[in-house]
Amino acid sequence: MSTVRASHILLMYKGSARSSATRSKDEAAQGIQSIKAQIDGGGDFAALAKEHSDCPSKSAGGDLGSFSAGQMVKPFSDTAFALPVGGTSGVVETEFGYHIIRRTA
């Protein structure tokens, strides 16, 4: 399998790569855990992405489209490729902040 398609929710924090966020790393960690709990409780992933994500993909419900292995930073790519289609990750930390990833194809 050469590509996957995934959506994500990203919470950046002050000091994370490319971040303009003012929240602390602890605040971002608490926020992403709260969003993960909402998803685990049946919350709508795309709606939560639109409401909370710090990534421009939020306007598309977090959809990043298709990408190949190595195109994204390693922890993100490794997680996305390991998920089954329809699967949702736990919290994944990268230099950009905290992500929740859902594999869509």
Side-chain angles (χ1 to χ4, degrees), residues 1-6 65-85 87 89 92 101-105:
M1 169 191 356
S2 56
T3 64
V4 297
R5 183 171 186 151
S66 296
F67 53 90
S68 56
Q71 195 172 344
M72 303 290 187
V73 292
K74 185 166 176 38
F76 189 101
S77 184
D78 288 352
T79 301
F81 274 82
L83 287 168
V85 174
S89 73
V92 177
I101 304 164
R102 175 165 287 170
R103 182 166 167 189
T104 55

Side-chain angles (χ1 to χ4, degrees), residues 6-9 45-46 49-50 53 55-65:
S7 297
H8 78 140
I9 298 170
F45 191 96
K50 286 179 181 180
S53 186
C55 181
S57 68
K58 73 189 264 174
S59 63
D63 184 17
L64 294 168

Side-chain angles (χ1 to χ4, degrees), residues 14-82:
K14 188 174 182 147
S16 62
R18 298 188 199 154
S19 176
S20 57
T22 57
R23 70 176 72 88
S24 70
K25 187 172 183 178
D26 285 345
E27 288 168 336
Q30 290 170 8
I32 203 78
Q33 291 293 349
S34 172
I35 294 164
K36 176 68 172 137
Q38 291 177 62
I39 292 166
D40 291 347
D44 183 279
F45 191 96
L48 288 164
K50 286 179 181 180
E51 184 178 349
H52 298 289
S53 186
D54 292 327
C55 181
S57 68
K58 73 189 264 174
S59 63
D63 184 17
L64 294 168
S66 296
F67 53 90
S68 56
Q71 195 172 344
M72 303 290 187
V73 292
K74 185 166 176 38
F76 189 101
S77 184
D78 288 352
T79 301
F81 274 82

